[in-house]
Amino acid sequence: MKHELLVAGFGGQGVLSMGMTLAYAGMVEGKEISWMPSYGPEMRGGTANCIVIVSDAKISSPIIAAFDTVVALNQPSLDKFEGAVRKGGLLIYESTNIIKPPTRTDITIVPVAAAEEALKLKNSRTMNMIILGAFLERTHVVETGAIMQALAKVLPERYHNLLPLNETALKRGFELAARVAA
Amino acid sequence: MKHELLVAGFGGQGVLSMGMTLAYAGMVEGKEISWMPSYGPEMRGGTANCIVIVSDAKISSPIIAAFDTVVALNQPSLDKFEGAVRKGGLLIYESTNIIKPPTRTDITIVPVAAAEEALKLKNSRTMNMIILGAFLERTHVVETGAIMQALAKVLPERYHNLLPLNETALKRGFELAARVAA
Amino acid sequence: MDTVQVDPIAEGLECVYARPADTLTETRLHYCPGCGHGVVHRVLMEIVEELGIQDQTIGVAPVGCSVFAYHYMNIDMQEAAHGRASAVATAVKRLHPDRYVFSYQGDGDLAAIGTAETIHTANRGENILMVFINNAIYGMTGGQMAPTTLLGMKTSTSPGGRTIETSGYPLKISEMIALLPGVAYVTRQSVHTPNAVRHLKKALLHAFRYQKEKKGTCLVEVVSNCPSGWKMTPGEANEWLEKNMFPLYPPGDIKVPHS
Amino acid sequence: MDTVQVDPIAEGLECVYARPADTLTETRLHYCPGCGHGVVHRVLMEIVEELGIQDQTIGVAPVGCSVFAYHYMNIDMQEAAHGRASAVATAVKRLHPDRYVFSYQGDGDLAAIGTAETIHTANRGENILMVFINNAIYGMTGGQMAPTTLLGMKTSTSPGGRTIETSGYPLKISEMIALLPGVAYVTRQSVHTPNAVRHLKKALLHAFRYQKEKKGTCLVEVVSNCPSGWKMTPGEANEWLEKNMFPLYPPGDIKVPHS
Amino acid sequence: MARGSVTLSIETCKGCSLCVEACPQESLALSPEINTQGYHYAVLVKDNCTGCINCALVCPDAVITVYRENKKKGKVPVATISNVARDISVTIDDERK
Amino acid sequence: MARGSVTLSIETCKGCSLCVEACPQESLALSPEINTQGYHYAVLVKDNCTGCINCALVCPDAVITVYRENKKKGKVPVATISNVARDISVTIDDERK
Amino acid sequence: MTVSTAELMKGNEALAEAAIRAGCQAYFGYPITPQSEILEYLADEGRRRGMIVLQAESEVASINMVYGGAGAGARVMTSSSSPGISLMQEGISYIAAAQLPCLIVNVSRGGPGLGTIQPSQGDYFQATKGGGHGDYRLIVLAPSSVQEMADFVYDAFDLADKYRNPVMILADGALGQMMEKVAFRDYNPKEHTPAKPWATTGKPRSRERNIITSLFIEPEKMEQINIRLQEKYAVIREKEVRSECFMTDDAEYGIVAYGLAARVAQGAVEIARSHGIRAGLLRPITLYPYPSDAVRALAERVRGILVVEMNAGQMVEDVRLAVEGRVPVTFAGRMGGIIPSPDEVFAALENLTTQDVALHAETY
Amino acid sequence: MTVSTAELMKGNEALAEAAIRAGCQAYFGYPITPQSEILEYLADEGRRRGMIVLQAESEVASINMVYGGAGAGARVMTSSSSPGISLMQEGISYIAAAQLPCLIVNVSRGGPGLGTIQPSQGDYFQATKGGGHGDYRLIVLAPSSVQEMADFVYDAFDLADKYRNPVMILADGALGQMMEKVAFRDYNPKEHTPAKPWATTGKPRSRERNIITSLFIEPEKMEQINIRLQEKYAVIREKEVRSECFMTDDAEYGIVAYGLAARVAQGAVEIARSHGIRAGLLRPITLYPYPSDAVRALAERVRGILVVEMNAGQMVEDVRLAVEGRVPVTFAGRMGGIIPSPDEVFAALENLTTQDVALHAETY
Ligand SMILES: Cc1ncc(C[n+]2csc(CCOP(=O)(O)OP(=O)(O)O)c2C)c(N)n1
Ligand SMILES: Cc1ncc(C[n+]2csc(CCOP(=O)(O)OP(=O)(O)O)c2C)c(N)n1
Ligand code: SF4
Ligand code: SF4
Ligand code: SF4
Ligand code: SF4
């Protein structure tokens, strides 16, 4: 098994940490991992993205041009990376922020209104967990349990009270994705 | 015709300018010239030397290991460069300063008491002209007239009153060298 | 919350402030929200526009957050290597003595890696303006300690707060430079309030005039913020600045030319 | 002229001055006749010898005429790149805080190419001694202008005399450095008379003591001569020094530690 | 009617709030909406602007244009020029003029 | 007999004359002879040396050793140590002693 | 955070952690993207664990502090990225000449000039041929994974001490920024750090003074120093060459690539194999000493060699020097901070296999 | 002193005089032996004739002033010697990336480190492969006489302006210090200096602002810049290669040497001919672009090639890259500031002719 994922969005949307959570979860499951951020003059806003590869075997190139899955959290990211999904691959996008939806027909497209759902959870930062849930529902790259263990690792101690909320968010994501016709 | 000369002595003895005068004289006679100083941390005393090549044809290497003539103005220079005279070549040394005379037998050796003679001329700076005279007497690399023209060029205007004295010194050198058995 | 919709011109109002249209380009500034760099850029360009010297002004950008200054300032500009803006400006000015030449530099650029160039440019009395943005941190590279970082201040390379033992004292380079006889004018300003901006503009105008009068080197230090590096909101940052930076870096003139 | 031949010991006289035999090597100094470097070397090594700290002292030589200082000083030494002696000394001291560490630098080395290192070493308050030989010229390379060259002074790169317009002002770096809070002691001395040498020795002793007491950076400037670069006899040079250098570089303490 | 007004360029605003804080009239606020850069941009929310230009002075992104009643009904100043320099006696005479 | 005397190392002297100029007794002069480095070296020419060590202090080449009558006939000091430090109250106590 | 089992870490952090574990006593450096995490990690974790960590005023100061620290007998290091490394060239030449052991890390980015902060291999020549003046060589190690970012730190310090020679780890921004699993090896610095009787630590009566210098004003002496350096380099060339092969045994076509580019090239080899093309990869691990013998051996087996670099073609010269015209050598690279994709490399490989590439083909 | 007929001058002075005559408007530099005469001559004669001559606080400042001056549209230059040139590497990379025309003179000396002040060719790699970071090239001219020290200055400025590329004159201390006859060519700078509409001179309304920069933060853009640079270098490699042959027509053995070493090698060829050995000399004049074709052509005619350098063997790599194993290539060099004598070189040549040198012989 090898899954190659790109997550892209605004700087503040938790793009890098969503990728990192998945990477840690892969670690928990004993998989090979590579997490590659697109780093820029970081302090400034603008877009950010990262490539995460989770694999049973050693990973050769951590940089690739086409992905099994692309997650796009804002319009510029969608515009830029829609074409980078492999034929037959998966495109998940945050449908509250994105007004111009993707147009490809040779891939699976899953819109997730994660921002809206996060508002319902009263914590906008859960948005990326919702998306991650949706991603897992579709790909089963790692188990939810591994994600929760990863989160315990990624989140500083003082935020561990948020773990249950994140678990809820993850599940919401599962549900939302399951609702979209495959 | 090609003549390869090394002049060596203390920093203050006019080693470099003696070589330069010869070089300019060569120019005056339309010859090819190369003047190569051994430059070191210059400000300090110690020894100095220069290689002068005067030739009818274009000069290839301005750096050589063996010379037609070596002029040594102090003991360390003599000790260091006695061996650098080509077999059959010429070694001129300043015999007032040098107590341990050269020992080679396969070259012509011309001691010149130039310092002593310079005192007689009441100008210790004429010492190198005396030596140059001796050198020319033996080698005729350039004409005395060319040397005088060169001096007019090398010496700043304000010292041109010294030209006659230098001419005298040059002639003394001629005489001293002529006196040494060839 | 309702927004008020007015067409001021239709209402008979007259425009009393607009961005300098000739000297500021349309390009969106890449700075973080609330960053003082933008204000200083704008004020500088207002002056160039108001004095009508766009064609006579040559700027030198540093390496630092303001590395892209030439994307925004609509004048001829050179982008210097980190710390060397004043050396670059020196050459430009020597070759074009009739031009207004300024360098624009951060504290890492001007007061760390560029210390030698800064001091010798000033010591030669090069007839240029150095605009020095002191935000007490390396913004561009992600919030490391600068020579001007305050004691106790936490940065990514002084995670426990700057200590004298490890990193020495905050460097008051403007005061040092003011000692040099070739230096005409040294002043310290800020941009954290409307009035501070007014004063900065005045100081920069002085500096341009002194350059015209060939008085020597002018240095305008701007005590500025770095909301990202300081990990504060822009508003908090400006408050913090006044409370913590001003005691060590008090605003005001440090040296003015004789008459 | 007859020389007096005496055997002082046979005459019952006792030795009251001899070169420091342990800390100065036998090697002939390569300096020009009359050059002040030799005196400063000797005085430094007298101190190391008298204090019995040969095994605790590490020196850093510059690039300049004193590049060979380690041929003469019989202590562990490093030869730094031009201008970087204080950076080298910083590292040595940080790794061996219980050692006495000094750098020995000329004006080109310390005040031109090494300006950034000099200032930041001092600003960090590195607990070292910087011995700064100010002879207002680049001796080693044949007499070029230094940052400290006087106005009007002729050197090989200011053949018509140093002018403000082309080269700016003589740099009084000791005064600048004294401003820095990390700096404990800054003094300006000379070696052109026996009494000046006595004072220098005293100043250096102070500096070693302050280092022991971890007071911070000490800088001892020695206004010195360069007979070769100045194109004077040593005697003339020392006179010229007093007459021309002292007005700008007056001898005496510039900063002393509290208590 | 207000004595002054401002216009703000939605897309260049970064929502730093400095103008909001600088406004003595509390005329400005951040919009709950975001622009295409993802920022909550500043908007005029009260009709009490005096045209004091404080907001424009502190805005790092040159977002704001300020208008004011013209009391001395003279010629309308060129819109691109800040009036800050008016307070200031310093000028440079340009030889070319 | 003189109250003091000096010895000079001919080969290390560079004939700079600074000692000659520093000597208040005019006891020193440069020799007309040169050493193997080509320098006219300094020599003692008058028997009036007081052992004031001025010459040794200014000599850049550490050429000179100075001797003096021992007034307080105590123990003879170690010959390698300059007495300059004697005037000076500054000392560093060495922990190892 | 003294980890011992595998951790997920950024390359920069893994390198910094390994430096602490390798007994590095002092770090001197100046921030620059994409490697500031090294300084940041050490300023935090390193200081906590007793390391001297000094943020210098510049890269020039940093490298000269490294000189001083190494000369004083300590294990010391600096790190920077391309422009900062350029500023260190004088200091590096001094360190090499004075034969001081130390570690210099270049997490390089796209040049020339200020360029970009994206990963690049544009500093190969500078690292391997000597960007500074004079005849000297660094030992250059090129990691290609986060694990090697850590592992090579120990090797670097050991080699530095063994040969009294500066060692460079030449990585790139991607290796510095990416996260992978890393495990830290058991390593006791005490067992690995030789005595340094030549260091300036204060001269006791019992020994001659120690001098650290690179100045030998008499050319005869300086030539002797150079000869000794060259002899040392000859030993290093004989003993310390490292490279790695991937599927070269039966390869008809060889790729030579190092660092991150080797990872990409390995991806291309996998693609090629899936297309039935028998490709193999030779990865130089030491860039100096260069694995010329391995390249030559490869050239004797294959029908053509493709060199892949994230630059305009630099290592390709060393490959051609080893191949000496035996088989065609072609080059594929991306510049200015762009990482080629495995597909691109595969396309270049296909080109080599299908086109009628003339012998001695120019690489550009 | 506006000489026009032949004069006897030091190489450094001849170069400086030529710079004035070539219309160099500004010189920025810092003293260092063995080239300080350039600064000194210009501080005197250059200033008198209207040139801006600034003794900078360091080589780092100098090269960045050159950047500023070149960016402002002037003919500008700096000069230094090996350690000083190392300090300029960051600035040089910036200049190359920003495509600024200027002249950089390296009157090199024996390294590495502080080394010695005697002549050397130890900076060949640094000059030709790029001592700074990133993929860039200098045009490198190697004079071998005082006359060429002067002549190449004009060529250097012309080439710099033509290609908007920094040009280096790579000389050595002996060429700088020796005196030979030199005549200055007729040259009117006005006729040779192209318009520089890209320079920062103050932006009139009539044109867009001019920007001098080397920063292109998007890697795609930076790659485009690099591609343009590489295309420029390709043109330079095609059009500007220069070399000179001496007695190679009937040569059985070839020597390849540049600069002062070529003079020595020519002496060796003369000795060889007098011994009946048909030797010839190929002298690269441009070190970049390298005369690979000429070397290859030589290799096709001779039975072996001897490379002579005043270093440990650097250009020999470029020779081997051109020869690609066709004939044995051997190397003879002296290091650390020592100039080989013609006799020594002849001895090395004899070795090549008599010994059974294996093909693909290692050069060390
Ligand atoms: C030679 C070199 N060293 C380091 C860097 C990395 N760098 C870029 S900007 C910067 C410092 C920025 O700080 P400052 O000058 O204070 O400006 P700010 O970003 O805070 O405005 C550094 C260290 C570089 N680009 N070049
Ligand atoms: C990087 C570098 N630049 C320049 C030089 C040449 N250089 C050697 S010493 C020196 C200056 C010497 O002057 P100073 O520091 O005043 O010492 P002094 O010789 O007068 O004692 C210079 C410029 C060098 N060795 N290295
Ligand atoms: S990092 Fe700091 S200085 Fe840079 S743009 Fe952001 S706020 Fe401004
Ligand atoms: S050149 Fe000057 S500083 Fe150097 S040794 Fe001679 S007199 Fe002393
Ligand atoms: S100050 Fe400017 S950028 Fe900030 S919120 Fe107000 S209008 Fe927007
Ligand atoms: S001071 Fe010293 S070197 Fe000078 S003349 Fe006297 S003894 Fe000789």
Side-chain angles (χ1 to χ4, degrees), chain B residues 43-44, chain D residues 30-37 65-66 135 137-140 225-229:
Chain B
M43 289 275 96
R44 275 142 294 294
Chain D
H30 72 289
Y31 300 109
C32 306
C35 173
H37 275 303
C65 280
S66 45
N135 58 11
I137 208 160
Y138 287 13
M140 172 79 153
N225 62 15
C226 175
S228 298

Side-chain angles (χ1 to χ4, degrees), chain F residues 8 12-20 30 42 58-61 63-64:
Chain F
L8 301 99
T12 49
C13 175
K14 296 198 188 116
C16 71
S17 236
L18 290 178
C19 58
V20 176
L30 293 194
V58 298
C59 174
D61 289 87
V63 168
I64 308 176

Side-chain angles (χ1 to χ4, degrees), chain D residues 22 25 27 54-58 63 67-68 70-82 84 87-88 90-92 94-96 99 116-118 120-121 124 126, chain G residues 25-26 28 52 54-58 60-61 64-69 71-74 76 90 94 199-205 207-215 217:
Chain D
D22 282 351
T25 66
T27 314
Q54 185 182 21
D55 57 341
Q56 299 163 57
T57 307
I58 303 169
V63 178
V67 70
F68 285 125
Y70 52 82
H71 282 178
Y72 317 122
M73 302 187 186
N74 192 18
I75 54 173
D76 279 1
M77 283 194 85
Q78 296 199 21
E79 207 293 304
H82 191 33
R84 322 303 173 191
V88 171
T90 292
V92 174
R94 293 249 174 166
L95 284 156
H96 295 292
R99 294 295 188 249
E117 287 75 16
T118 302
H120 284 276
T121 300
R124 284 189 305 264
E126 298 294 344
Chain G
Q25 288 156 272
F28 307 97
I52 291 163
L54 186 56
Q55 179 178 330
E57 59 272 29
S58 69
V60 172
N64 285 286
M65 288 173 180
V66 165
Y67 179 102
V76 296
E90 188 205 26
Y94 270 69
T200 60
T201 52
K203 173 210 170 314
R205 288 210 159 256
R207 66 158 165 81
E208 288 294 290
R209 70 188 181 288
N210 284 334
I211 294 168
I212 304 296
T213 187
S214 68
L215 171 65
I217 200 78

Side-chain angles (χ1 to χ4, degrees), chain C residues 1 3-4 6 8 11 14 16-19 21 29 31 34-35 38 42 50-52 55-56 100 194 201 206 212 235, chain E residues 1 5 14 16 18 21 30 44 54 56-57 59-60 62 65-68 70 77 79-80 82 85 90 92-93 96:
Chain C
M1 185 165 35
T3 62
V4 179
V6 277
E11 305 261 353
E14 100 191 30
V16 290
Y17 181 83
R19 65 204 313 277
L29 299 165
Y31 300 109
C35 174
R42 200 196 67 225
E50 290 169 33
L51 298 176
D55 58 341
Q56 300 164 56
Y100 296 92
K201 185 155 183 185
H206 280 300
K212 172 145 198 142
Chain E
M1 202 210 79
S5 188
K14 296 197 188 116
C16 72
L18 290 178
E21 290 163 39
L30 293 193
L44 190 64
N54 277 2
L57 285 177
C59 175
T65 310
V66 186
Y67 301 84
R68 200 190 293 158
N70 187 351
T80 49
S82 144
V90 182
I92 304 179
D93 15 70
R96 296 167 318 154

Side-chain angles (χ1 to χ4, degrees), chain D residues 91-112:
Chain D
V92 174
K93 183 74 185 189
R94 293 249 174 166
L95 284 156
H96 295 292
D98 59 334
R99 294 295 188 249
Y100 296 92
V101 177
F102 68 87
S103 73
Y104 185 106
Q105 305 179 252
D107 40 40
D109 196 82
L110 180 138

Side-chain angles (χ1 to χ4, degrees), chain G residues 1-2 17 20 40-50:
Chain G
M1 185 174 56
T2 39
E17 173 64 29
I20 303 173
E40 290 167 351
Y41 188 95
L42 293 175
D44 191 7
E45 194 58 28
R47 280 187 190 139
R48 196 171 306 142
R49 278 145 74 184

Side-chain angles (χ1 to χ4, degrees), chain G residues 305-325:
Chain G
I305 289 180
L306 172 69
V307 177
V308 180
E309 299 179 74
M310 282 144 57
N311 61 33
Q314 300 190 13
M315 180 185 68
V316 66
E317 288 198 0
D318 283 328
V319 171
R320 289 179 54 215
L321 280 169
V323 171
E324 281 195 312

